[in-house]
Amino acid sequence: DNDLVGETTYMNIINNAKKYVYISTPYLVIDHEMMTCLITAAQSGIDVRITTPYIPDKWFVHEVTRSNYKTLIQAGVKIYEYTPGFIHSKTIVADDEYAIVGTTNFDFRSFYLHFECGVFLYKTKSVLEVRDDYYEILHASTEITIEDCNKVRLPRRVIRAILSVFSPLM
């Protein structure tokens, strides 16, 4: 059907968070609505953290993922890259109350094109386990700073801008 269950559910969790939202995704290829949702949460005082892989499986998707970092960091979102290797987990956890574990990436294809699945958890011990797993991932990750974003040279920024135009196809 035409219901955008994945994106809508993620946005509802982000919009209703009171303390924190922690996200783990291999791909951060987001549209304007999701970007606005994440920025609004961070600017409202919510601790928004996103972890992506340091080592990509697809270099071009990774470049588009990284092209979103600067805008998000400037708004107060904390971005981390998992350094031991590629991480393919897709989780979101908020306020020790809500979590989703599933197949839905933070990207156009998962939100608009593919059939994805996930388990929605509410006020159960499993939510805390997802949170604790995120802390373990975070411990093995490096925070990306605005200085890191500013070090990106012009040719790479141009490549990222061009790839971003094609991001719905990735």
Side-chain angles (χ1 to χ4, degrees):
D1 59 25
N2 294 320
D3 291 334
L4 304 175
V5 176
E7 183 178 43
T8 302
T9 306
Y10 280 175
M11 290 175 82
N12 281 334
I13 288 174
I14 296 164
N15 287 330
N16 289 301
K18 293 178 179 38
K19 295 180 258 176
Y20 77 86
V21 176
Y22 300 154
I23 298 163
S24 179
T25 182
Y27 315 120
L28 187 63
V29 182
I30 54 178
D31 60 13
H32 177 72
E33 288 80 8
M34 184 58 77
M35 179 72 78
T36 302
C37 182
L38 291 164
I39 288 171
T40 301
Q43 290 177 338
S44 299
I46 307 302
D47 179 13
V48 180
R49 300 179 189 198
I50 302 172
T51 303
T52 65
Y54 173 74
I55 298 172
D57 63 339
K58 298 173 184 83
W59 72 269
F60 47 92
V61 179
H62 196 57
E63 290 299 326
V64 176
T65 291
R66 286 179 164 177
S67 73
N68 290 308
Y69 289 178
K70 187 172 184 177
T71 302
L72 290 167
I73 292 168
Q74 286 174 325
V77 175
K78 295 177 183 147
I79 305 288
Y80 300 85
E81 287 187 342
Y82 181 76
T83 53
F86 181 71
I87 186 167
H88 206 247
S89 97
K90 299 148 185 117
T91 63
I92 183 170
V93 60
D95 296 340
D96 294 348
E97 289 188 357
Y98 309 95
I100 296 176
V101 177
T103 65
T104 309
N105 296 299
F106 270 73
D107 70 2
F108 183 88
R109 292 170 63 118
S110 285
F111 290 152
Y112 298 104
L113 300 177
H114 293 164
F115 285 108
E116 303 287 356
C117 62
V119 176
F120 181 84
L121 305 165
Y122 176 66
K123 289 189 177 181
T124 177
K125 184 178 94 173
S126 299
V127 172
L128 302 178
E129 292 171 355
V130 174
R131 181 206 59 203
D132 293 344
D133 182 63
Y134 186 83
Y135 287 144
E136 287 182 35
I137 291 168
L138 203 60
H139 184 71
S141 301
T142 301
E143 185 171 3
I144 305 301
T145 65
I146 199 70
E147 291 78 23
D148 295 325
C149 296
N150 290 334
K151 291 178 187 173
V152 177
R153 295 178 187 234
L154 182 61
R156 178 150 289 186
R157 289 196 319 257
V158 170
I159 290 169
R160 288 178 180 176
I162 292 168
L163 288 172
S164 292
V165 172
F166 298 98
S167 63
L169 303 173
M170 296 181 186

